[in-house]
Amino acid sequence: MKLVVGSWQLAVGRWQSTVGNIKKNILFLCDLCASVRKKNFVGLLSSLLCGTFAMSAQAESRFPQPQFDTGHVVPEAYHPSVTAVVSEGTDVALLFVALCVATWLVHRVRSRFWILAFSLLCLVWFGFVRQGCFCPIGAIQNVAVAAWQGGGLAWGIAAFFALPLLFALLFGRVFCSAVCPLGALQDLFIVRPLRVPRTVNAVLRLIPLIVLLFGVVYTLNGAGYLICRTDPFVGLFRRSAPLPLLLTGMAVLLLGMVIARPYCRYFCPYAVLLEVCSRLAWEPIKITKATCINCRLCVGVCPVEAVEIPREIPSASTRAGRFRLFVRLLLLAPVLVIALTCGGWLAGGTLLAPAHPVVKTYEAMVQYTPETEALYPAVEAAKKQKLTRELLEVQAREITQRFRVGSAVAGGILGLIIALRILGLSQLRRRAEHEANRTNCIACGRCYPACPKNVKTIQ
Amino acid sequence: MTGSKSPPTRRNLLSWLLRAGTGSVVAALVYRASGFHRSGRMVWQLDPRKCIQCGKCETACVLQPSAVKCTHGYAMCGYCKLCFGFFKPDAPRLDEAAENQICPTGAIARKFIEAPYFEYSIKEPLCTGCGLCVKSCANFGNGSLYLQVRHDRCKNCNTCRIAELCPAQAFVRVPEESPYLLKEKL
Ligand code: SF4
Ligand code: SF4
Ligand code: SF4
Ligand code: SF4
Ligand code: SF4
């Protein structure tokens, strides 16, 4: 009896708010025909019902709540609470301890073996147990967004961002030596590192800078966390991921057999910040604490080509030549900055902005025809949220403009840094010993046992 | 300790200044980002009112099977005998046989309560978050089935991979203490 009344109310209610939904109705008709052909009457019934509702409004709650005669209690679904592996405080404390231990191993114990052993421990904990999230690399974006908006960052993420930088400011890139799970993982795959030609290296080293600058623009404009999306290893750490993600991770690791630490050197945006800090390090990495005898034995073992060989101050004529070059480059710098600013403006509008969800939805709406089925979900979603094309157009234009401005600024900064890097080439100081380059050295400790002076001190 | 041993030259002083400068830039950045008050962790959740059951929740999550699963808002359910979330539109018969069910993994349990009512519940370990039942329930029923990020599974990625791909922009960050957006309570 209740059912009959219910259905009646329902039918009346629904027919009143009829909104045509052509797609569904066609589907429904197909269904119906199929059911009739197959003499499938349950199907026919349900198809008919479906059709009724499909033609009615998208509104839900079509059937009334039952009153149970048996006194059945409507249950509540169980929703598990967040299961954090450890608390935020423990996370930060462990990172701090790990950085201290790494510093001690790199600067006092000075043993490749123990650095490697400790990096394995960190790989297991920060990588496979904590599963690589969150990490200082991704924290760049959280910090950028929160700093832009002026607050709201969880303190744990703030600490993850700041601690490795502060350690780098004091002791060099000890974070990269053992603590960073991405670095530790790649380090294991170094088999036969090839030398990367200087110019190729210089060009490739612009990528981290580009990722950092444009990644921040991308994030600040609300298009998502680009830096996290380009982390190739997160799938491996979770031992579960969509196939493309897993394959990318494997490919980067395999590449790492011949090009040591490819992600670290040619992609990691956090490395840009670490390098700035590490350049100013209070106690930089030292190949040996004794006097270098310039035997060159350390040069070959460094997988990232960070050993700098001794160099004299060039002769007066070379210096004059370099000075002329310097002046010419100084003239070139503004051109570079302007060119990259314009480039950034263009790239912001054409490459970055289309990744923003609102712009994406707007474009899907513009391009959607029944043939371009793939675009349908975005259009359907916009309709459900009552976003009209006009509204989206205004928003999309605004967002695109923001992207242009942001990328132009990023482009300008990029130009400035490139100019500074080029100018840096013309500034030479005398170097009497083999030294670890302050920015590039990842404190892996491979050169420690290679240096005969070190071996002697141990004996 | 080169820094402490060498005499205080001008160069030394300069590098300490630079070091302190960089250090304070980092500190200032973090200070500004944290604001004046301590904020707790946020986690991901999807807003069932925006979701259009596009199917990405099943495939885009970094976990396979996905951390998103179907949940049932019993308080919204009509306890229908002919459940649109349970039966295929072309189901040969209205019983629990697998060929009659929408759910490809048979993750929905159907229990007789009293005539003519049946209760439906999700066997979570089986659900893959494909949203087929959700879509059908939303289109033809009460919309009491809906998708939620399950926080016993979710890794709380810094950026949720589904959030990046969701056509409905249904993913939002919610406080760790109340990590669900339950449709029956919204
Ligand atoms: S360069 Fe980046 S990825 Fe490599 S070890 Fe350092 S922080 Fe980690
Ligand atoms: S410690 Fe630095 S210089 Fe030495 S091998 Fe490792 S990266 Fe190269
Ligand atoms: S991706 Fe978005 S629209 Fe698609 S099923 Fe998940 S929440 Fe719903
Ligand atoms: S149909 Fe899909 S979403 Fe619904 S219970 Fe089955 S697996 Fe889960
Ligand atoms: S945050 Fe990560 S684990 Fe959780 S639902 Fe999103 S992609 Fe899946």
Side-chain angles (χ1 to χ4, degrees), chain B residues 46 51-57 147 162 166-168 170-171:
Chain B
L46 71 91
C51 173
I52 55 157
Q53 303 87 35
C54 68
K56 291 229 166 62
C57 271
L147 296 173
I162 315 173
C166 171
F171 274 74

Side-chain angles (χ1 to χ4, degrees), chain B residues 22-147:
Chain B
T22 318
S24 24
V25 169
V26 173
L29 202 61
V30 164
Y31 182 71
R32 176 164 167 77
S34 313
F36 294 98
H37 43 81
R38 178 188 182 284
S39 23
R41 267 197 279 215
M42 303 289 269
V43 296
W44 289 102
Q45 192 48 272
L46 71 91
D47 185 340
R49 293 166 300 184
K50 290 187 180 167
C51 173
I52 55 157
Q53 303 87 35
C54 68
K56 291 229 166 62
C57 271
E58 183 190 15
T59 52
C61 179
V62 293
L63 298 179
Q64 291 300 321
S66 170
V68 175
K69 287 182 187 290
C70 182
T71 185
H72 196 186
Y74 293 96
M76 289 172 73
C77 182
Y79 283 74
C80 326
K81 185 173 181 185
L82 197 170
C83 167
F84 293 101
F86 188 82
F87 291 109
K88 270 189 196 152
D90 57 351
R93 275 178 316 156
L94 287 191
D95 65 21
E96 284 81 358
E99 73 265 24
N100 302 329
Q101 298 186 23
I102 277 189
C103 180
T105 60
I108 306 180
R110 181 175 192 249
K111 192 174 101 193
F112 176 72
I113 301 292
E114 65 178 60
Y117 299 129
F118 285 80
E119 188 166 272
Y120 300 88
S121 51
I122 309 296
K123 297 182 236 167
E124 264 191 32
L126 294 182
C127 173
T128 61
C130 70
L132 291 178
C133 61
V134 179
K135 193 167 193 106
S136 183
C137 179
N139 284 345
F140 309 124
N142 277 7
S144 58
L145 293 169
Y146 56 93
L147 296 173

Side-chain angles (χ1 to χ4, degrees), chain A residues 137 173 175-176 180 182-183 261 263-264 268 270-271 274:
Chain A
I137 308 173
R173 292 168 68 177
F175 177 71
C176 299
C180 177
L182 290 84
R261 293 219 186 189
Y263 180 82
C264 292
C268 177
Y270 195 62
L274 282 170

Side-chain angles (χ1 to χ4, degrees), chain A residues 40 46 60-63 65 69-70 72 78-80 131 133 142 147 151 153 155 228 240-241 280 377 384-385, chain B residues 19 22 32 38-39 51-52 62 64 75-77 89 114 119 138-139 141-142 150 155 158-159 168 180 183:
Chain A
N40 168 351
S46 72
E60 297 166 352
S61 301
R62 299 180 174 87
F63 305 100
Q65 289 287 291
D69 299 333
T70 49
H72 175 71
Y78 167 67
H79 299 288
Q131 311 204 314
C133 243
N142 305 56
L153 186 69
W155 73 276
C228 287
S240 158
L280 302 169
K384 182 167 179 184
Q385 290 168 37
Chain B
R19 217 167 282 152
T22 318
R32 176 164 167 77
R38 178 188 182 284
S39 23
C51 173
I52 55 157
V62 293
Q64 291 300 321
M76 289 172 73
C77 182
E114 65 178 60
E119 188 166 272
N139 284 345
N142 277 7
R150 309 308 286 163
K155 298 293 173 198
N158 198 14
T159 182
Y180 290 94
K183 206 172 172 185

